[in-house]
Amino acid sequence: MSYETILVEQHGPVTLFTINRPQALNALNTQVLDELVEAFAAFEADPGQLCGVITGAGEKAFVAGADIKEMAETPASDFYAHDFFSRWTSHVVKQTRKPWIAAVNGFALGGGCEVAMMADFIIASESARFGQPEIRLGVVPGMGGSQRLARAVGKAKAMDMCLTGRMMDAAEAERSGLVSRVVPAAKLLETALKVAAEIAGMPPLAVLANKELVNAAFEMPLDQGLIHERRIFQVLVGTEDKAEGMAAFIEKRPGVWKGR
Ligand code: DAK
């Protein structure tokens, strides 16, 4: 499949998705999101692809938001009638069971910050800048920014960022728990691909299950989450990969996974 606004490359078992509109700081328009939906569906369906990385082309931006020029021309009724951008959330975020990492290489604003927060975790370059500046455009975040940012960094910083539209730099984002690691810009992609390859080398069922469980922590009361975790543990101990993982530890050798 060929795309016009994104690049998709396979690095062994890792798929790299690059949003490729550097002239517009990789702003998300309908075409970008439609292409990402297709590319993520292909990634999810490919048994040889085990972890994803999403980034932005160029050195300046991950994604500077939804395309303001497109939104400015979109009639208000179309946002509702076409359920603007909703395929991204319903098809990608809800249906991708494999993990994917956001490698944030510059501005991650508005929809860009939201896409990064929808990834399983964020690795940021030292030059990354995060923000939800929608208030300055007379609107609010539309793809979960107010909700996910509040969960990620707490009420005080989420309110501060949504109400002032200010940007958070990489150091503050790491301190606040928004990103998992910060690396020099020149090492960002290499690091993200290396971390993704490490995940891709883990027992595949345990990868899916760990992602599902951490996500469940945001949806379930603690008691239910703990039971859910225990039940999944009880299922995974019956897998061939569990027997192999424990044997490999005892025999001091790397495990060889079957995904069953
Ligand atoms: N959209 C379209 N073009 C953009 C853009 C954007 N978000 N951001 C930058 N560009 C374009 C600029 O217009 C400029 O294009 P030319 O003028 O060269 O043609 C080019 O990228 C370079 O940008 P600048 O010249 O502005 O570069 P600077 O270094 O001076 O400034 C900046 C960089 C990132 C600070 C600045 O570009 C900026 O403030 N950009 C806008 C950031 C922003 O407000 N982002 C939030 C957009 S609102 C929804 C779901 C989601 C959303 C909405 C609804 N539903 C489900 C309903 C999401 C909304 C948003 O994200």
Side-chain angles (χ1 to χ4, degrees):
M1 175 107 196
S2 69
Y3 303 105
E4 290 174 6
T5 61
I6 63 171
L7 304 169
V8 182
E9 292 162 23
Q10 294 184 349
H11 295 250
V14 174
T15 302
L16 174 63
F17 306 90
T18 305
I19 299 167
N20 191 26
R21 300 184 70 213
Q23 71 290 354
L25 302 188
N26 302 318
L28 302 172
N29 59 19
T30 309
Q31 186 179 2
V32 172
L33 285 185
D34 283 348
E35 291 185 1
L36 281 172
V37 167
E38 298 307 322
F40 266 78
F43 160 69
E44 183 71 1
D46 184 341
Q49 293 302 293
L50 300 173
C51 190
V53 172
I54 187 166
T55 194
E59 289 170 7
K60 203 168 159 184
F62 171 70
V63 168
D67 192 312
I68 297 170
K69 293 163 192 169
E70 183 183 71
M71 285 192 293
E73 288 172 6
T74 303
S77 57
D78 280 9
F79 282 89
Y80 184 68
H82 304 310
D83 213 357
F84 190 69
F85 283 5
S86 66
R87 289 182 72 220
W88 168 259
T89 310
S90 59
H91 287 63
V92 175
V93 181
K94 292 211 168 137
Q95 291 182 18
T96 307
R97 296 176 69 205
K98 295 172 184 174
W100 51 287
I101 302 167
V104 173
N105 50 314
F107 293 114
L109 304 176
C113 189
E114 292 171 316
V115 165
M117 289 191 290
M118 286 186 250
D120 293 306
F121 58 97
I122 300 172
I123 300 180
S125 80
E126 285 164 350
S127 58
R129 299 281 178 280
F130 298 86
Q132 296 292 163
E134 290 87 344
I135 194 166
R136 297 176 187 205
L137 302 170
V139 289
V140 294
M143 284 198 292
S146 61
Q147 307 303 299
R148 290 197 175 87
L149 191 63
R151 282 168 172 75
V153 304
K155 178 181 171 185
K157 279 191 187 284
M159 279 289 188
D160 177 358
M161 289 176 69
C162 289
L163 290 175
T164 67
R166 82 168 172 90
M167 294 184 208
M168 191 184 255
D169 67 18
E172 185 181 2
E174 188 179 29
R175 266 198 322 275
S176 310
L178 180 59
V179 314
S180 71
R181 311 181 190 196
V182 176
V183 297
K187 294 267 178 203
L188 177 67
L189 210 49
E190 176 189 326
T191 306
L193 289 170
K194 199 166 144 206
V195 173
E198 194 181 332
I199 294 168
M202 297 288 174
L205 297 177
V207 170
L208 297 183
N210 274 281
K211 169 169 169 161
E212 181 182 325
L213 283 170
V214 175
N215 281 332
F218 293 91
E219 308 289 344
M220 286 182 177
L222 182 60
D223 270 359
Q224 282 178 23
L226 293 173
I227 290 173
H228 187 48
E229 182 191 79
R230 206 178 327 137
R231 295 289 174 254
I232 291 196
F233 188 101
Q234 289 159 350
V235 169
L236 287 188
V237 285
T239 63
E240 290 181 32
D241 283 349
K242 169 264 179 187
E244 166 66 4
M246 296 198 179
F249 173 80
I250 292 163
E251 293 160 19
K252 301 187 188 298
R253 60 171 176 82
V256 180
W257 314 120
K258 294 185 174 155
R260 55 176 197 257

